Amino acid sequence: MVDLTVPHPYLLFVGEITFARYAKTAFGLVEWASERCVGEFATSRSAVTTGLPRMTLAEAKNRGARSLVIGVAPIGGAIGNAWIPTLVEAMEVGLDLVSGMHTRLGSVPALAAAAARTGRRLIDVREPPAGLTVGTGRKRTGQRLLTVGTDCALGKKYTALSLTREFKKRGVDVDFRATGQTGILIAGGGIPIDAVVADFIAGAAESLSPSSIVLSSSIRGAGPPEIRINFVSS
């Protein structure tokens, strides 16, 4: 499992997105990690809003923001060319960049050059850990609950997180194991299943939710990952 350390507070980038489902990362962070979010940044007045204060990059930096998180996930997961000047400016004002897109930040020449020039970090959440193996199929101790659905942005992660929260209220030893970019940012770790080579997906799921003496845990993600109790979301 990848342990992720992302400097916060976050400024959430919603760009020009007008359809809330395409801003699921921003909405997920506001819902489940609001204490780490300082505001949102839009490139269009008509862009969707999470309800956070809308800020300029400089304003967010002055209010303590440390990272600009790309909070949108349009079909295809590419970084739009129109976003690049804003992302470069974010680094110039002192913010690290965080992305769960399929396009790696460092693969965009202008972003790589700006990061080298400013000393800011490019943090790609959708980067699976090295050394994943094929699945073994061996029975593991502990309990798991997997949430699945027929499409993206249907509520799998919210279901797993809600179950995790309610079990904890009842004194049950549970945790949430993330398999998608938003869940990884919320949980601080996980494996982005849709970035794993198919041969190693089963092994990744086993690695994410290994044998455990706990009663339960939960997993949610972007594909068929699992919960220990793990609550696993997919």
Side-chain angles (χ1 to χ4, degrees):
M1 186 170 82
V2 173
D3 290 321
L4 189 68
T5 301
V6 177
H8 57 80
Y10 309 142
L11 175 65
L12 304 179
F13 176 89
V14 296
E16 74 291 354
I17 297 298
T18 57
F19 189 27
R21 289 180 76 183
Y22 291 162
K24 64 179 186 177
T25 297
F27 280 99
L29 286 168
V30 170
E31 180 73 26
W32 297 100
S34 59
E35 72 284 356
R36 292 180 239 156
C37 304
V38 70
E40 67 181 25
F41 178 92
T43 58
S44 168
R45 293 179 63 183
S46 62
V48 68
T49 180
T50 63
L52 291 178
R54 191 157 283 185
M55 301 179 180
T56 67
L57 298 170
E59 286 171 343
K61 178 64 177 175
N62 288 338
R63 295 194 192 188
R66 299 176 63 200
S67 297
L68 178 69
V69 176
I70 297 178
V72 299
I75 293 172
I79 293 175
N81 288 333
W83 302 351
I84 292 176
T86 295
L87 301 181
V88 169
E89 184 184 353
M91 287 186 278
E92 290 173 341
V93 302
L95 301 175
D96 292 335
L97 295 187
V98 183
S99 171
M101 309 291 276
H102 286 297
T103 302
R104 300 296 186 265
L105 292 167
S107 71
V108 180
L111 300 183
R117 184 176 72 253
T118 61
R120 306 320 307 172
R121 294 173 63 195
L122 301 177
I123 302 171
D124 287 303
V125 176
R126 228 184 197 127
E127 188 69 57
L132 291 173
T133 62
V134 298
T136 66
R138 286 194 291 269
K139 185 174 178 61
R140 288 162 286 158
T141 58
Q143 295 177 307
R144 293 156 189 85
L145 188 156
L146 169 65
T147 59
V148 296
T150 57
D151 202 348
C152 301
L154 291 178
K156 303 180 294 293
K157 173 179 67 271
Y158 277 48
T159 299
L161 285 165
S162 296
L163 287 168
T164 301
R165 179 174 60 194
E166 293 304 315
F167 270 106
K168 285 183 175 180
K169 286 180 181 178
R170 290 157 174 77
V172 180
D173 187 8
V174 304
D175 62 9
F176 168 76
R177 297 301 174 96
T179 59
Q181 71 271 23
T182 307
I184 290 171
L185 281 166
I186 292 167
I191 296 178
I193 289 292
D194 64 356
V196 174
V197 173
D199 285 1
F200 305 114
I201 289 176
E206 291 178 350
S207 170
L208 187 60
S209 183
S211 289
S212 175
I213 60 171
V214 298
L215 291 178
S216 51
S217 111
S218 110
I219 302 179
R220 137 71 181 111
E226 46 171 281
I227 285 184
R228 261 169 53 185
I229 11 188
N230 288 359
F231 286 105
V232 182
S233 158
S234 104

PDB file of all heavy atoms in Angstrom, residues 36-61:
ATOM      1  N   ARG A  36      -8.917  19.834   6.133  1.00  0.00           N
ATOM      2  CA  ARG A  36      -7.687  20.004   5.358  1.00  0.00           C
ATOM      3  C   ARG A  36      -7.873  20.947   4.173  1.00  0.00           C
ATOM      4  O   ARG A  36      -6.933  21.142   3.392  1.00  0.00           O
ATOM      5  CB  ARG A  36      -7.206  18.645   4.839  1.00  0.00           C
ATOM      6  CG  ARG A  36      -6.716  17.708   5.916  1.00  0.00           C
ATOM      7  CD  ARG A  36      -6.251  16.392   5.308  1.00  0.00           C
ATOM      8  NE  ARG A  36      -6.979  15.257   5.831  1.00  0.00           N
ATOM      9  CZ  ARG A  36      -7.132  14.105   5.208  1.00  0.00           C
ATOM     10  NH1 ARG A  36      -6.613  13.929   4.012  1.00  0.00           N
ATOM     11  NH2 ARG A  36      -7.810  13.132   5.766  1.00  0.00           N
ATOM     12  N   CYS A  37      -9.057  21.504   3.991  1.00  0.00           N
ATOM     13  CA  CYS A  37      -9.362  22.309   2.810  1.00  0.00           C
ATOM     14  C   CYS A  37      -9.576  23.769   3.203  1.00  0.00           C
ATOM     15  O   CYS A  37     -10.303  24.062   4.155  1.00  0.00           O
ATOM     16  CB  CYS A  37     -10.623  21.786   2.128  1.00  0.00           C
ATOM     17  SG  CYS A  37     -10.542  20.026   1.665  1.00  0.00           S
ATOM     18  N   VAL A  38      -8.952  24.664   2.447  1.00  0.00           N
ATOM     19  CA  VAL A  38      -9.057  26.090   2.776  1.00  0.00           C
ATOM     20  C   VAL A  38      -9.961  26.847   1.808  1.00  0.00           C
ATOM     21  O   VAL A  38     -10.531  27.881   2.155  1.00  0.00           O
ATOM     22  CB  VAL A  38      -7.654  26.730   2.831  1.00  0.00           C
ATOM     23  CG1 VAL A  38      -7.031  26.823   1.456  1.00  0.00           C
ATOM     24  CG2 VAL A  38      -7.695  28.088   3.493  1.00  0.00           C
ATOM     25  N   GLY A  39     -10.104  26.339   0.578  1.00  0.00           N
ATOM     26  CA  GLY A  39     -10.914  27.041  -0.403  1.00  0.00           C
ATOM     27  C   GLY A  39     -10.894  26.332  -1.734  1.00  0.00           C
ATOM     28  O   GLY A  39     -10.336  25.231  -1.863  1.00  0.00           O
ATOM     29  N   GLU A  40     -11.523  26.951  -2.741  1.00  0.00           N
ATOM     30  CA  GLU A  40     -11.544  26.376  -4.088  1.00  0.00           C
ATOM     31  C   GLU A  40     -11.087  27.425  -5.092  1.00  0.00           C
ATOM     32  O   GLU A  40     -11.196  28.634  -4.850  1.00  0.00           O
ATOM     33  CB  GLU A  40     -12.940  25.864  -4.441  1.00  0.00           C
ATOM     34  CG  GLU A  40     -13.986  26.968  -4.574  1.00  0.00           C
ATOM     35  CD  GLU A  40     -15.380  26.446  -4.896  1.00  0.00           C
ATOM     36  OE1 GLU A  40     -15.676  25.279  -4.571  1.00  0.00           O
ATOM     37  OE2 GLU A  40     -16.178  27.227  -5.476  1.00  0.00           O
ATOM     38  N   PHE A  41     -10.571  26.931  -6.222  1.00  0.00           N
ATOM     39  CA  PHE A  41     -10.117  27.811  -7.303  1.00  0.00           C
ATOM     40  C   PHE A  41     -10.811  27.379  -8.585  1.00  0.00           C
ATOM     41  O   PHE A  41     -10.776  26.199  -8.960  1.00  0.00           O
ATOM     42  CB  PHE A  41      -8.606  27.727  -7.481  1.00  0.00           C
ATOM     43  CG  PHE A  41      -8.094  28.585  -8.607  1.00  0.00           C
ATOM     44  CD1 PHE A  41      -7.684  29.889  -8.374  1.00  0.00           C
ATOM     45  CD2 PHE A  41      -8.049  28.096  -9.904  1.00  0.00           C
ATOM     46  CE1 PHE A  41      -7.238  30.687  -9.416  1.00  0.00           C
ATOM     47  CE2 PHE A  41      -7.605  28.890 -10.950  1.00  0.00           C
ATOM     48  CZ  PHE A  41      -7.195  30.192 -10.709  1.00  0.00           C
ATOM     49  N   ALA A  42     -11.430  28.310  -9.276  1.00  0.00           N
ATOM     50  CA  ALA A  42     -12.112  28.029 -10.538  1.00  0.00           C
ATOM     51  C   ALA A  42     -11.551  28.922 -11.633  1.00  0.00           C
ATOM     52  O   ALA A  42     -11.114  30.046 -11.372  1.00  0.00           O
ATOM     53  CB  ALA A  42     -13.609  28.261 -10.399  1.00  0.00           C
ATOM     54  N   THR A  43     -11.563  28.407 -12.852  1.00  0.00           N
ATOM     55  CA  THR A  43     -11.115  29.199 -13.996  1.00  0.00           C
ATOM     56  C   THR A  43     -12.300  29.810 -14.746  1.00  0.00           C
ATOM     57  O   THR A  43     -12.103  30.525 -15.729  1.00  0.00           O
ATOM     58  CB  THR A  43     -10.290  28.345 -14.961  1.00  0.00           C
ATOM     59  OG1 THR A  43     -11.090  27.229 -15.389  1.00  0.00           O
ATOM     60  CG2 THR A  43      -9.023  27.832 -14.295  1.00  0.00           C
ATOM     61  N   SER A  44     -13.521  29.511 -14.286  1.00  0.00           N
ATOM     62  CA  SER A  44     -14.726  30.047 -14.913  1.00  0.00           C
ATOM     63  C   SER A  44     -15.739  30.400 -13.832  1.00  0.00           C
ATOM     64  O   SER A  44     -15.895  29.664 -12.850  1.00  0.00           O
ATOM     65  CB  SER A  44     -15.329  29.012 -15.871  1.00  0.00           C
ATOM     66  OG  SER A  44     -16.630  29.386 -16.270  1.00  0.00           O
ATOM     67  N   ARG A  45     -16.458  31.492 -14.009  1.00  0.00           N
ATOM     68  CA  ARG A  45     -17.465  31.892 -13.021  1.00  0.00           C
ATOM     69  C   ARG A  45     -18.602  30.889 -12.964  1.00  0.00           C
ATOM     70  O   ARG A  45     -19.323  30.811 -11.963  1.00  0.00           O
ATOM     71  CB  ARG A  45     -18.003  33.285 -13.370  1.00  0.00           C
ATOM     72  CG  ARG A  45     -16.967  34.393 -13.233  1.00  0.00           C
ATOM     73  CD  ARG A  45     -17.537  35.747 -13.607  1.00  0.00           C
ATOM     74  NE  ARG A  45     -18.623  36.144 -12.732  1.00  0.00           N
ATOM     75  CZ  ARG A  45     -19.327  37.265 -12.889  1.00  0.00           C
ATOM     76  NH1 ARG A  45     -19.038  38.091 -13.900  1.00  0.00           N
ATOM     77  NH2 ARG A  45     -20.296  37.566 -12.045  1.00  0.00           N
ATOM     78  N   SER A  46     -18.796  30.131 -14.052  1.00  0.00           N
ATOM     79  CA  SER A  46     -19.901  29.170 -14.099  1.00  0.00           C
ATOM     80  C   SER A  46     -19.508  27.785 -13.579  1.00  0.00           C
ATOM     81  O   SER A  46     -20.331  26.865 -13.589  1.00  0.00           O
ATOM     82  CB  SER A  46     -20.422  29.039 -15.537  1.00  0.00           C
ATOM     83  OG  SER A  46     -19.400  28.550 -16.395  1.00  0.00           O
ATOM     84  N   ALA A  47     -18.277  27.641 -13.116  1.00  0.00           N
ATOM     85  CA  ALA A  47     -17.822  26.338 -12.635  1.00  0.00           C
ATOM     86  C   ALA A  47     -18.609  25.919 -11.391  1.00  0.00           C
ATOM     87  O   ALA A  47     -19.101  26.752 -10.630  1.00  0.00           O
ATOM     88  CB  ALA A  47     -16.335  26.383 -12.319  1.00  0.00           C
ATOM     89  N   VAL A  48     -18.699  24.618 -11.209  1.00  0.00           N
ATOM     90  CA  VAL A  48     -19.363  24.057 -10.035  1.00  0.00           C
ATOM     91  C   VAL A  48     -18.675  24.546  -8.763  1.00  0.00           C
ATOM     92  O   VAL A  48     -17.482  24.860  -8.786  1.00  0.00           O
ATOM     93  CB  VAL A  48     -19.315  22.513 -10.119  1.00  0.00           C
ATOM     94  CG1 VAL A  48     -17.902  21.996  -9.956  1.00  0.00           C
ATOM     95  CG2 VAL A  48     -20.246  21.871  -9.096  1.00  0.00           C
ATOM     96  N   THR A  49     -19.421  24.637  -7.676  1.00  0.00           N
ATOM     97  CA  THR A  49     -18.811  25.042  -6.407  1.00  0.00           C
ATOM     98  C   THR A  49     -19.034  23.985  -5.346  1.00  0.00           C
ATOM     99  O   THR A  49     -20.089  23.352  -5.291  1.00  0.00           O
ATOM    100  CB  THR A  49     -19.363  26.389  -5.908  1.00  0.00           C
ATOM    101  OG1 THR A  49     -18.721  26.727  -4.660  1.00  0.00           O
ATOM    102  CG2 THR A  49     -20.870  26.337  -5.705  1.00  0.00           C
ATOM    103  N   THR A  50     -18.036  23.799  -4.509  1.00  0.00           N
ATOM    104  CA  THR A  50     -18.122  22.865  -3.386  1.00  0.00           C
ATOM    105  C   THR A  50     -18.721  23.529  -2.153  1.00  0.00           C
ATOM    106  O   THR A  50     -18.969  22.861  -1.148  1.00  0.00           O
ATOM    107  CB  THR A  50     -16.725  22.345  -3.010  1.00  0.00           C
ATOM    108  OG1 THR A  50     -15.929  23.465  -2.559  1.00  0.00           O
ATOM    109  CG2 THR A  50     -16.052  21.679  -4.185  1.00  0.00           C
ATOM    110  N   GLY A  51     -18.905  24.852  -2.219  1.00  0.00           N
ATOM    111  CA  GLY A  51     -19.372  25.598  -1.068  1.00  0.00           C
ATOM    112  C   GLY A  51     -18.253  26.245  -0.278  1.00  0.00           C
ATOM    113  O   GLY A  51     -18.508  27.056   0.623  1.00  0.00           O
ATOM    114  N   LEU A  52     -17.015  25.919  -0.614  1.00  0.00           N
ATOM    115  CA  LEU A  52     -15.880  26.569   0.035  1.00  0.00           C
ATOM    116  C   LEU A  52     -15.680  27.968  -0.546  1.00  0.00           C
ATOM    117  O   LEU A  52     -16.121  28.252  -1.671  1.00  0.00           O
ATOM    118  CB  LEU A  52     -14.603  25.754  -0.183  1.00  0.00           C
ATOM    119  CG  LEU A  52     -14.500  24.406   0.528  1.00  0.00           C
ATOM    120  CD1 LEU A  52     -13.190  23.722   0.139  1.00  0.00           C
ATOM    121  CD2 LEU A  52     -14.593  24.560   2.037  1.00  0.00           C
ATOM    122  N   PRO A  53     -14.989  28.844   0.175  1.00  0.00           N
ATOM    123  CA  PRO A  53     -14.705  30.167  -0.383  1.00  0.00           C
ATOM    124  C   PRO A  53     -13.907  30.060  -1.675  1.00  0.00           C
ATOM    125  O   PRO A  53     -12.974  29.258  -1.762  1.00  0.00           O
ATOM    126  CB  PRO A  53     -13.870  30.840   0.713  1.00  0.00           C
ATOM    127  CG  PRO A  53     -14.201  30.098   1.964  1.00  0.00           C
ATOM    128  CD  PRO A  53     -14.476  28.694   1.554  1.00  0.00           C
ATOM    129  N   ARG A  54     -14.289  30.843  -2.662  1.00  0.00           N
ATOM    130  CA  ARG A  54     -13.544  30.858  -3.922  1.00  0.00           C
ATOM    131  C   ARG A  54     -12.408  31.865  -3.782  1.00  0.00           C
ATOM    132  O   ARG A  54     -12.638  33.015  -3.407  1.00  0.00           O
ATOM    133  CB  ARG A  54     -14.471  31.206  -5.078  1.00  0.00           C
ATOM    134  CG  ARG A  54     -13.856  30.993  -6.437  1.00  0.00           C
ATOM    135  CD  ARG A  54     -14.915  30.797  -7.504  1.00  0.00           C
ATOM    136  NE  ARG A  54     -15.499  29.458  -7.475  1.00  0.00           N
ATOM    137  CZ  ARG A  54     -16.379  28.989  -8.364  1.00  0.00           C
ATOM    138  NH1 ARG A  54     -16.783  29.770  -9.349  1.00  0.00           N
ATOM    139  NH2 ARG A  54     -16.849  27.771  -8.268  1.00  0.00           N
ATOM    140  N   MET A  55     -11.184  31.438  -4.079  1.00  0.00           N
ATOM    141  CA  MET A  55      -9.998  32.253  -3.831  1.00  0.00           C
ATOM    142  C   MET A  55      -9.100  32.306  -5.055  1.00  0.00           C
ATOM    143  O   MET A  55      -9.119  31.414  -5.900  1.00  0.00           O
ATOM    144  CB  MET A  55      -9.173  31.661  -2.676  1.00  0.00           C
ATOM    145  CG  MET A  55      -9.887  31.548  -1.371  1.00  0.00           C
ATOM    146  SD  MET A  55      -8.791  30.807  -0.111  1.00  0.00           S
ATOM    147  CE  MET A  55      -9.889  30.794   1.297  1.00  0.00           C
ATOM    148  N   THR A  56      -8.265  33.338  -5.096  1.00  0.00           N
ATOM    149  CA  THR A  56      -7.152  33.342  -6.040  1.00  0.00           C
ATOM    150  C   THR A  56      -6.042  32.490  -5.439  1.00  0.00           C
ATOM    151  O   THR A  56      -6.066  32.136  -4.246  1.00  0.00           O
ATOM    152  CB  THR A  56      -6.632  34.760  -6.274  1.00  0.00           C
ATOM    153  OG1 THR A  56      -6.029  35.239  -5.058  1.00  0.00           O
ATOM    154  CG2 THR A  56      -7.746  35.705  -6.715  1.00  0.00           C
ATOM    155  N   LEU A  57      -5.066  32.175  -6.258  1.00  0.00           N
ATOM    156  CA  LEU A  57      -3.938  31.381  -5.770  1.00  0.00           C
ATOM    157  C   LEU A  57      -3.195  32.121  -4.667  1.00  0.00           C
ATOM    158  O   LEU A  57      -2.840  31.527  -3.630  1.00  0.00           O
ATOM    159  CB  LEU A  57      -2.997  31.063  -6.930  1.00  0.00           C
ATOM    160  CG  LEU A  57      -3.597  30.232  -8.070  1.00  0.00           C
ATOM    161  CD1 LEU A  57      -2.642  30.187  -9.259  1.00  0.00           C
ATOM    162  CD2 LEU A  57      -3.927  28.818  -7.599  1.00  0.00           C
ATOM    163  N   ALA A  58      -2.976  33.410  -4.857  1.00  0.00           N
ATOM    164  CA  ALA A  58      -2.247  34.192  -3.856  1.00  0.00           C
ATOM    165  C   ALA A  58      -3.031  34.284  -2.549  1.00  0.00           C
ATOM    166  O   ALA A  58      -2.457  34.192  -1.459  1.00  0.00           O
ATOM    167  CB  ALA A  58      -1.942  35.585  -4.401  1.00  0.00           C
ATOM    168  N   GLU A  59      -4.347  34.472  -2.650  1.00  0.00           N
ATOM    169  CA  GLU A  59      -5.164  34.539  -1.446  1.00  0.00           C
ATOM    170  C   GLU A  59      -5.086  33.233  -0.660  1.00  0.00           C
ATOM    171  O   GLU A  59      -4.957  33.233   0.576  1.00  0.00           O
ATOM    172  CB  GLU A  59      -6.619  34.827  -1.809  1.00  0.00           C
ATOM    173  CG  GLU A  59      -6.880  36.259  -2.232  1.00  0.00           C
ATOM    174  CD  GLU A  59      -8.274  36.441  -2.787  1.00  0.00           C
ATOM    175  OE1 GLU A  59      -8.920  35.424  -3.149  1.00  0.00           O
ATOM    176  OE2 GLU A  59      -8.730  37.599  -2.859  1.00  0.00           O
ATOM    177  N   ALA A  60      -5.161  32.121  -1.381  1.00  0.00           N
ATOM    178  CA  ALA A  60      -5.101  30.820  -0.707  1.00  0.00           C
ATOM    179  C   ALA A  60      -3.754  30.617  -0.025  1.00  0.00           C
ATOM    180  O   ALA A  60      -3.682  30.135   1.111  1.00  0.00           O
ATOM    181  CB  ALA A  60      -5.352  29.707  -1.719  1.00  0.00           C
ATOM    182  N   LYS A  61      -2.697  31.008  -0.704  1.00  0.00           N
ATOM    183  CA  LYS A  61      -1.365  30.897  -0.102  1.00  0.00           C
ATOM    184  C   LYS A  61      -1.278  31.741   1.157  1.00  0.00           C
ATOM    185  O   LYS A  61      -0.758  31.298   2.197  1.00  0.00           O
ATOM    186  CB  LYS A  61      -0.300  31.320  -1.113  1.00  0.00           C
ATOM    187  CG  LYS A  61       1.135  31.288  -0.573  1.00  0.00           C
ATOM    188  CD  LYS A  61       1.562  29.876  -0.203  1.00  0.00           C
ATOM    189  CE  LYS A  61       3.007  29.847   0.262  1.00  0.00           C
ATOM    190  NZ  LYS A  61       3.402  28.508   0.746  1.00  0.00           N
TER     191      LYS A  61
END
